[in-house]
């Protein structure tokens, strides 16, 4: 094999979800840089791979990166894996890839398992445009602010979440996108308790909040883009205020004020005003 850095995806649950080429690269590499070497040893021993492992995680300093770059310069094959799925996708690796490029070294990526893409492909939500947003901030105010920013994006949103924060994420999403918005919970993908549930955010939040089993394991949340046909933009009080303000203010300003007051999408409110005006004509 040619010297270089190889980015190698590993399974997100089912150990069989690894490509023949991935196994080949892991077997032939001089060293495997792994997030948690004990965790990865299980996968490697399942496939009888005895390649030496070195620890590489988000707190690895520049010294570790420099050491791996030196190995490649010396003609070695370095494979990068994370605990699960595709390295660099909400996982370490970005600094290492940057360093390899900066040193003009070859970098190859193998295609493979990724929870975001697996969830998207099963969700039944629009796929022509999607936006991977990773983990939301842990604190509620910051999370709502981030969700509000995301609400302007006209694409299916893909979020990762830890099980102990899933109810809070769904509640905040309902507050920002409205309870009618279609969403999907994709839990424990490829594993024994795989669960895919598609529903409106209000129902999905209620379902997850009232069943502790749905608050366990690994979870991807997908939120559909706004649908003008099936969705009213807000609760009735927000719409009443919007109507009242639009009599006194330009539609854009009225929409912004109501969006701020009710933590809603200003664009959707503005569209609501335009639709209503067209209906009136
Ligand atoms: N690099 C990984 C990838 O390619 O998907 C993601 C690593 S990130 C640290 C872990 C998060 O990914 C989990 O908290 C969860 O949101 C999501 N995830 C990973 N495996 C999953 C699975 N089997 N089912 C659902 N979500 C999963």
């Amino acid at each position: 094999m040619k010297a270089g850095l190889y980015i190698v995806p590993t399974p997100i649950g089912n150990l069989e979800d690894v490509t023949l080429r991935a196994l080949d690269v892991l077997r032939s590499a001089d060293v495997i840089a792994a997030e948690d070497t004990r965790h990865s040893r299980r996968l490697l021993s399942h496939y009888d791979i005895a390649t030496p492992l070195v620890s590489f995680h988000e707190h690895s300093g520049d010294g570790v990166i420099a050491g791996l770059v030196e190995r490649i310069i010396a003609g070695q094959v370095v494979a990068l894996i994370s605990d699960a799925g595709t390295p660099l996708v909400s996982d370490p690796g970005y600094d290492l890839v940057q360093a390899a490029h900066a040193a003009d070294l070859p970098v190859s990526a193998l295609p493979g398992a990724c929870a975001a893409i697996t969830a998207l492909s099963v969700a039944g939500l629009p796929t022509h445009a999607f936006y991977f947003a990773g983990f939301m901030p842990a604190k509620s105010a910051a999370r709502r602010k981030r969700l509000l920013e995301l609400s302007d994006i006209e694409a299916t949103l893909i979020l990762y979440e830890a099980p102990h924060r899933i109810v809070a994420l769904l509640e905040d999403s309902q507050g920002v996108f409205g309870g009618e918005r279609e969403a999907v919970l994709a839990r424990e993908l490829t594993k024994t308790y795989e669960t895919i549930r598609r529903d409106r955010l209000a129902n999905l939040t209620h379902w997850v909040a009232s069943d502790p089993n749905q608050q366990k394991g690994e979870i991807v949340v997908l939120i559909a883009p706004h649908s003008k046909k099936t969705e009213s933009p807000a609760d009735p009080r927000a719409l009443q205020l919007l109507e009242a303000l639009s009599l006194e203010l330009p539609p854009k300003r009225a929409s912004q004020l109501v969006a701020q007051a009710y933590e809603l999408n200003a664009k959707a409110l503005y569209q609501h005003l335009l639709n209503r005006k067209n209906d009136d004509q």
Side-chain angles (χ1 to χ4, degrees), residues 12 84 86 89-91 114-115 135 160-161 189 191 218-220:
I12 56 167
T86 301
V89 177
S90 292
D91 265 342
C114 176
F135 289 97
Y160 283 169
E161 194 48 280
L189 291 163
K191 304 188 211 177
E218 300 196 277
I219 306 171
V220 182

Side-chain angles (χ1 to χ4, degrees), residues 173-175 177-182 199-204 231:
S173 302
Q174 186 182 334
F177 300 95
E180 288 179 62
R181 182 70 63 93
E182 283 284 317
D199 210 330
R200 285 161 198 264
L201 265 173
N203 297 343
L204 196 62
E231 217 176 314

Side-chain angles (χ1 to χ4, degrees), residues 10 40 82 118 149 165 181 235 247 250 260:
T10 55
S40 294
S82 59
T118 308
E149 288 162 9
R165 277 199 281 269
R181 182 70 63 93
D235 75 39
L247 298 175
Q260 270 167 21

Side-chain angles (χ1 to χ4, degrees), residues 57-218:
H57 47 75
E58 56 182 328
H59 304 298
S60 296
D62 292 346
V64 176
I65 293 179
L68 292 168
V69 166
E70 283 304 316
R71 281 173 175 268
I72 302 170
I73 292 171
Q76 291 197 2
V77 169
V78 173
L80 173 69
I81 61 176
S82 59
D83 285 352
T86 301
L88 283 86
V89 177
S90 292
D91 265 342
Y94 172 61
D95 292 350
L96 178 60
V97 170
Q98 260 196 330
H101 281 302
D104 234 351
L105 296 169
V107 180
S108 306
L110 278 65
C114 176
I117 297 299
T118 308
L120 179 69
S121 57
V122 74
L125 298 181
T127 52
H128 62 280
F130 55 90
Y131 185 94
F132 174 69
F135 289 97
M136 293 296 99
K139 297 215 168 104
S140 186
R143 182 167 51 231
R144 267 183 279 146
K145 183 166 174 278
R146 180 75 185 119
L147 288 170
L148 213 50
E149 288 162 9
L150 294 173
S151 68
D152 271 346
I153 299 172
E154 295 195 3
T156 293
L157 301 177
I158 307 176
L159 316 179
Y160 283 169
E161 194 48 280
H164 62 281
R165 277 199 281 269
I166 186 62
V167 174
L169 172 70
L170 290 170
E171 284 173 351
D172 284 345
S173 302
Q174 186 182 334
V176 170
F177 300 95
E180 288 179 62
R181 182 70 63 93
E182 283 284 317
V184 170
L185 184 95
R187 200 174 65 82
E188 293 289 87
L189 291 163
T190 78
K191 304 188 211 177
T192 312
Y193 296 106
E194 176 175 289
T195 307
I196 315 294
R197 178 89 170 196
R198 189 172 62 251
D199 210 330
R200 285 161 198 264
L201 265 173
N203 297 343
L204 196 62
T205 305
H206 177 73
W207 183 69
V208 174
S210 50
D211 181 356
N213 283 327
Q214 303 308 327
Q215 302 163 32
K216 291 181 185 160
E218 300 196 277

